[in-house]
Amino acid sequence: MLVRELSVPGALEFTPVQYDDDRGVFLEWFREDEFSKATGHSLHLAQANCSVSRAGTLRGIHFAELPPSQAKLVTCVHGAALDVVVDLRVGSPTFGRWDAVTLDDDDRRAVYLPVGVGHAFMALADETVVNYLCSEPYSPGREHAIHPLDPAIGIEWPATARDGTDLSPLLSPKDDAAPTLAEVRARGVLASYESCLAFSRGELAP
């Protein structure tokens, strides 16, 4: 398994080794030993999610308050998606910046999102299936969203689908009504960079 650090500190891309023959393909998309070696800590698995999306569906930017926030390991098992991580940790050297990885059923990469960062993705094909391993269960009172088209963040969302057709962002009413990064920061719900690092090291109680 190959590991690459994204430009948002703590966010990682995992590219598995695939074994294919005339029957199909086999791969290990998560290994605890490889994950712990790359991150310095284990992944506490509390919830597994699956979403199925039509081309153009744009989900996010979502994040959860710290503690305990919610770390995620995300992969695409069918179709394709542009997966985006946004640094929302106040005091981080890359606060407000984003990075992206194309997740698809060819390379079968996975992305790790540490606590305190935001997550969003756009489906690039119909019936795109994205799976998430989450470190904490969904907690409605601690979940927040930032508008994925916030120009201050400036995510470059694809305009073309996997098959070459035009894409238009399709947002849920909740995501379409989400505030900007500046508005969310003013509300005081963003965690500090140092507290996120301390939590990941087990130094901050949930």
Side-chain angles (χ1 to χ4, degrees):
M1 184 174 290
L2 300 177
V3 183
R4 181 176 70 91
E5 186 168 6
L6 303 185
S7 61
V8 173
L12 301 171
E13 172 196 273
F14 293 89
T15 302
V17 176
Q18 301 188 59
Y19 303 91
D20 62 297
D21 56 28
D22 56 0
R23 300 169 299 167
V25 177
F26 174 84
L27 66 140
E28 299 170 341
W29 80 274
F30 172 72
R31 281 187 51 153
E32 175 63 27
D33 56 346
E34 297 284 351
F35 179 87
S36 297
K37 180 180 178 181
T39 64
H41 58 81
S42 61
L43 177 64
H44 171 67
L45 178 58
Q47 183 171 315
N49 299 338
C50 176
S51 67
V52 182
S53 304
R54 57 179 284 196
T57 295
L58 179 50
R59 301 181 187 270
I61 305 165
H62 300 150
F63 71 98
E65 289 182 45
L66 182 86
S69 190
Q70 189 183 63
K72 299 176 182 176
L73 185 67
V74 184
T75 193
C76 177
V77 297
H78 184 266
L82 184 72
D83 201 75
V84 176
V85 54
V86 183
D87 198 339
L88 303 178
R89 301 164 297 186
V90 178
S92 168
T94 57
F95 177 79
R97 286 172 50 185
W98 61 276
D99 203 350
V101 174
T102 298
L103 303 179
D104 58 31
D105 51 16
D106 291 325
D107 296 318
R108 298 181 169 90
R109 297 185 179 96
V111 171
Y112 171 66
L113 299 96
V115 296
V117 304
H119 178 235
F121 74 85
M122 175 182 274
L124 306 180
D126 287 336
E127 300 298 317
T128 289
V129 180
V130 175
N131 286 348
Y132 322 59
L133 303 181
C134 304
S135 65
E136 298 292 334
Y138 176 71
S139 177
R142 306 189 67 79
E143 300 287 333
H144 301 278
I146 294 171
H147 203 290
L149 304 180
D150 182 355
I153 299 174
I155 299 172
E156 298 173 5
W157 294 109
T160 306
R162 193 186 203 186
D163 63 3
T165 58
D166 292 340
L167 277 183
S168 296
L170 177 62
L171 281 66
S172 70
K174 180 180 178 180
D175 285 344
D176 196 32
T180 65
L181 174 57
E183 291 169 333
V184 169
R185 185 175 186 179
R187 295 175 184 176
V189 296
L190 299 180
S192 73
Y193 183 55
E194 291 303 322
S195 64
C196 289
L197 294 181
F199 186 83
S200 294
R201 294 191 298 260
E203 300 169 2
L204 181 65

